[in-house]
Amino acid sequence: QQTMASPKSDKKVAIVLCGCGVYDGSETTEVVSALIHLSRAGVEVSAFAPNKEQMHVVNHLTGEEETSGENRNVLVESARIARGKVKALDECDAGDFDALVIPGGFGAAKNLSDFASKGADLTVDSTLEEIMRKFHSQGKPIGLSCIAPTIAAKVFGSIGCKLTVGSDVESEKYPFAGAAGAIKSLGAHHQTCEPNEACIDKENKIVSSSAYMYAGLPHEIDDSVRAMVEGVLSLLA
């Protein structure tokens, strides 16, 4: 397997990417933070992404959708963050790993699911859903940040899992808190957490943190992702 690794590691984590760039892919700060904290913990990380076209392409300078008809592939774009070391999502075998991590970015709501357009009526990429269910059935932790917990709400809401997107009250600091309402409507429980805290559902081994659902500074987002990663690793102890 292509890996980004610490050779001393005895734990293996799969990380799922969804492009490159907050508006149409993975949020780069969140991905890099997750990779750094997993690496520092001596964990071997393998990256995966769907081999499919993005929902659309957004000009990150203007925030506007490109109207030129440009298409980009999620796997190819994800390779930008993973320094080329990324495999197609359908090659991810839960049996090969100890945990699964899914950082945020609008790509999680556009390429890993269609939450961005359908809200609580979302569907999840079928390959990702199957992988998540396998990790869960094998008792292996799943960590999510930013908007990605909405995916877990869709997949595991029926079992009443606990999740967070930080706050369920929209404000200047939590402009996307409305996602908490969707999480609740899907049967999951939303837990309010500080930006540097993670929601740890020990029963279901699902860990989530707000990351850029909170309008914070880069170091605050790093603190949030670190809390999620540490929560995941605590469930492996």
Side-chain angles (χ1 to χ4, degrees):
Q1 290 187 346
Q2 291 181 302
T3 59
M4 294 169 286
S6 163
K8 299 179 181 178
S9 172
D10 64 350
K11 299 295 183 185
K12 297 181 179 181
V13 171
I15 188 167
V16 176
L17 308 181
C18 53
C20 181
V22 57
Y23 297 130
D24 57 14
S26 291
E27 209 299 312
T28 54
T29 301
E30 294 182 30
V31 174
V32 172
S33 292
L35 293 174
I36 288 172
H37 293 298
L38 288 166
S39 174
R40 182 169 284 129
V43 173
E44 181 179 323
V45 182
S46 294
F48 298 90
N51 185 9
K52 66 181 183 181
E53 296 301 304
Q54 294 183 177
M55 172 185 158
H56 63 180
V57 177
V58 175
N59 181 322
H60 278 60
L61 184 61
T62 64
E64 299 295 326
E65 180 179 358
E66 291 284 5
T67 57
S68 61
E70 178 184 2
N71 294 316
R72 295 191 185 185
N73 179 278
V74 178
L75 178 61
V76 172
E77 291 298 297
S78 297
R80 292 176 179 272
I81 307 179
R83 298 174 63 87
K85 296 180 179 179
V86 59
K87 288 190 170 186
L89 185 59
D90 59 11
E91 296 184 54
C92 180
D93 185 341
D96 293 337
F97 299 97
D98 300 291
L100 178 69
V101 168
I102 309 174
F106 280 108
K110 295 178 177 180
N111 305 326
L112 300 182
S113 75
D114 54 11
F115 180 78
S117 57
K118 295 187 177 179
D121 294 324
L122 78 157
T123 56
V124 176
D125 177 276
S126 59
T127 301
L128 177 60
E129 180 168 356
E130 180 182 2
I131 289 168
M132 291 174 70
R133 290 192 183 280
K134 286 182 177 178
F135 271 88
H136 184 261
S137 68
Q138 293 174 24
K140 297 177 178 179
I142 300 172
L144 313 100
S145 62
C146 194
I147 195 66
T150 57
I151 296 173
K154 175 64 176 181
V155 177
F156 301 118
S158 62
I159 61 174
C161 63
K162 292 190 294 184
L163 298 162
T164 194
V165 288
S167 175
D168 58 2
V169 178
E170 288 194 6
S171 64
E172 183 178 352
K173 281 295 186 181
Y174 290 98
F176 308 112
I183 285 173
K184 295 175 187 177
S185 73
L186 289 163
H189 300 283
H190 183 267
Q191 179 175 310
T192 298
C193 291
E194 293 297 317
N196 63 346
E197 295 177 336
C199 170
I200 303 177
D201 182 341
K202 293 183 178 179
E203 180 179 354
N204 292 300
K205 294 192 174 181
I206 300 173
V207 183
S208 51
S209 66
S210 60
Y212 265 119
M213 295 297 275
Y214 171 73
L217 298 171
H219 74 276
E220 293 177 300
I221 308 312
D222 178 68
D223 288 344
S224 181
V225 175
R226 179 180 63 188
M228 180 270 287
V229 169
E230 290 178 348
V232 168
L233 297 180
S234 74
L235 297 175
L236 294 177

